[in-house]
Amino acid sequence: HEFATVRTDPIVNPTTLSDHIHTFYGATVARPETTYQDLRNAYGGSGDVQENQSLYWHPTIYKVQPDGTKTLVNMYIASAYYIWETGQTVAFPDGFKMIAFVPESEADGWFPAEPQDELETSIDFPSCWDGVNIDSTDHMSHVAYSSDRTARGICPPSHPIKVPHIQFFVRVYQYEGGPHIFSDGTTRMHADYFSGWKNTELQYVLDNCQNDSFDALPDQFCEDFVSFKNLPKVSSACGSLEANLAKIQSFQPSPLDTSTITDEIIDGVTVLPRGEGTGLLKPPGAVATLPPRPTLAPLPFTECDGDGGGDEGDDNEGDDGGEEDDEEEDNEGEDGEGEDGEEGDDEGSDEDCEDSEDGIFINNRLGDKTCGWLALRPSRAARLCASREDIAEHCPDTCGD
């Protein structure tokens, strides 16, 4: 979930209040002068991957009442999905920053007139980098979109380096319909990303994690390579939305006290505070001494009853949950290369210990998988070989029997 709503922008306005109000997810810092080291040192965060201390923000959503009053819309959940081609993607350098806008052609109709149970909006960040700069004057020129705006597209010669493709989703629950705007007065979505990953840790994941998806799916993870706060991961077939959201809520940080930044009133106002450098920015105060971020041990693995193994994903989990990291930080499943990895450790092993036609499945949403597929996932194999007699019998080489 969001942890702060305040008129700051650590990328565009690192010394003053920003032009408009933003909603923040991820590492629990939001002052204008926030640095990469501040992200790394931040206590806790709304995302569900401990190694990911990134910060995400977007202009705050407001409903315009009949009398012109703007009321702040609380966000339901957000997700940040990282998508890449395994072994062919470069990790963000420490302190990498970028801004993304939806195409102008998509700006109209962003807020439906009719009520909806859930309004989901999303934005794609560029996945091609110039290989030199971690930022640029406009915070966009050092990156570019691939030929098809996906992780599989071709990067232009000016920006030849592939970096992870981030898809950022934000959601409003029980959207009321009627006039809505972003805090910048438009209906065009944009979002900011400030990487809080340690470059070497992210590179290890990008080089080694493979799964079955090349899309932003909420049940594809790299649980063998990153430390999730909400283990064990479960598939959508295993458990209700309410239970999954309860897991997310259990590690959400307390809302940031934005009165340490500014005393501006930002809800229930006729005129939203605007203007770079306007308004009173309070100086940084004394920072409370907090214990280091806890290292959370994974919970015991449990499988769901019936169809659908419990080792895949959570319908409401992305890489950066709080969402999404969802960031949602539900935010947000980490998607590796879209390959099945069908080759096992030994030549011909798939033929000798292939799943039966009756169906030895890891997760019913993925379909039947071979022993070679399981052999490429050692941690998962260890769990399933120990808990599933059918898999142990059909995959003796993989299970070490």
Side-chain angles (χ1 to χ4, degrees):
H1 299 281
E2 79 271 21
F3 69 84
T5 301
V6 63
R7 190 161 68 97
T8 59
D9 188 325
I11 292 180
V12 178
N13 302 107
T15 59
T16 65
L17 293 179
S18 60
D19 175 70
H20 50 274
I21 303 159
H22 292 99
T23 301
F24 288 82
Y25 313 83
T28 53
V29 286
R31 287 196 61 88
E33 63 271 19
T34 295
T35 65
Y36 170 72
Q37 199 56 52
D38 292 331
L39 300 183
R40 295 299 304 168
N41 293 339
Y43 182 75
S46 63
D48 68 349
V49 173
Q50 291 189 108
E51 292 86 350
N52 187 0
Q53 288 290 98
S54 299
L55 189 61
Y56 314 78
W57 62 97
H58 61 80
T60 302
I61 298 175
Y62 283 86
K63 181 173 183 179
V64 183
Q65 304 295 341
D67 64 356
T69 300
K70 282 81 173 177
T71 54
L72 191 152
V73 176
N74 291 320
M75 304 310 295
Y76 167 50
I77 211 162
S79 307
Y81 294 92
Y82 289 65
I83 308 170
W84 69 90
E85 190 168 5
T86 304
Q88 301 184 43
T89 306
V90 173
F92 300 117
D94 293 349
F96 184 88
K97 306 171 184 177
M98 62 178 166
I99 298 177
F101 283 81
V102 299
E104 291 188 15
S105 60
E106 299 177 11
D108 294 334
W110 201 259
F111 298 114
E114 299 299 320
Q116 299 186 14
D117 288 339
E118 179 181 298
L119 174 67
E120 178 183 88
T121 62
S122 65
I123 190 167
D124 291 272
F125 281 91
S127 57
C128 301
W129 175 45
D130 66 12
V132 177
N133 301 291
I134 64 171
D135 197 4
S136 52
T137 303
D138 62 0
H139 315 293
M140 295 183 286
S141 298
H142 61 303
V143 290
Y145 286 97
S146 68
S147 55
D148 61 1
R149 297 177 71 92
T150 74
R152 277 183 165 159
I154 299 172
C155 285
S158 58
H159 298 76
I161 307 299
K162 275 285 185 71
V163 292
H165 177 71
I166 298 177
Q167 290 188 323
F168 184 51
F169 293 77
V170 296
R171 302 172 183 88
V172 177
Y173 184 60
Q174 295 296 311
Y175 172 74
E176 296 180 356
H180 285 72
I181 60 171
F182 288 110
S183 56
D184 61 359
T186 75
T187 58
R188 186 185 183 192
M189 174 69 164
H190 70 266
D192 298 50
Y193 174 71
F194 192 164
S195 177
W197 284 94
K198 185 181 293 186
N199 170 268
T200 53
E201 291 181 347
L202 180 57
Q203 191 64 62
Y204 176 76
V205 179
L206 301 179
D207 288 343
N208 292 281
C209 176
Q210 290 186 332
N211 62 38
D212 297 275
S213 175
F214 225 111
D215 298 301
L217 295 178
D219 61 355
Q220 297 293 300
F221 301 97
C222 287
E223 66 268 35
D224 293 338
F225 300 92
V226 295
S227 307
F228 282 101
K229 301 175 185 177
N230 62 333
L231 289 174
K233 291 293 187 180
V234 295
S235 72
S236 60
C238 310
S240 66
L241 172 64
E242 291 78 8
N244 290 329
L245 290 179
K247 290 171 63 180
I248 296 169
Q249 189 63 42
S250 68
F251 60 79
Q252 290 305 294
S254 299
L256 189 69
D257 181 6
T258 57
S259 68
T260 62
I261 301 174
T262 177
D263 287 325
E264 288 183 336
I265 298 173
I266 60 173
D267 192 14
V269 296
T270 303
V271 179
L272 294 174
R274 292 287 305 274
E276 294 185 8
T278 64
L280 176 63
L281 171 65
K282 295 184 178 181
V287 178
T289 301
L290 295 172
R293 287 186 292 122
T295 299
L296 304 179
L299 297 175
F301 171 73
T302 58
E303 280 199 278
C304 296
D305 293 330
D307 292 349
D311 63 316
E312 278 309 320
D314 184 318
D315 272 338
N316 301 282
E317 287 306 321
D319 161 38
D320 271 323
E323 311 170 347
E324 180 135 196
D325 244 187
D326 140 249
E327 145 172 13
E328 181 255 24
E329 292 256 200
D330 207 0
N331 84 3
E332 330 38 32
E334 290 197 342
D335 290 317
E337 185 174 6
E339 295 182 358
D340 285 342
E342 298 272 329
E343 293 184 5
D345 291 339
D346 300 314
E347 187 175 353
S349 63
D350 280 0
E351 180 178 351
D352 295 335
C353 55
E354 190 171 328
D355 296 348
S356 72
E357 293 184 1
D358 294 335
I360 300 294
F361 53 82
I362 307 303
N363 182 290
N364 66 329
R365 294 188 65 186
L366 299 180
D368 293 349
K369 296 300 177 185
T370 67
C371 300
W373 179 91
L374 190 61
L376 293 174
R377 294 154 175 83
S379 178
R380 184 176 299 175
R383 296 195 303 260
L384 292 176
C385 289
S387 63
R388 294 271 299 272
E389 291 183 3
D390 52 353
I391 289 180
E393 291 175 359
H394 282 268
C395 302
D397 291 341
T398 298
C399 293
D401 294 335

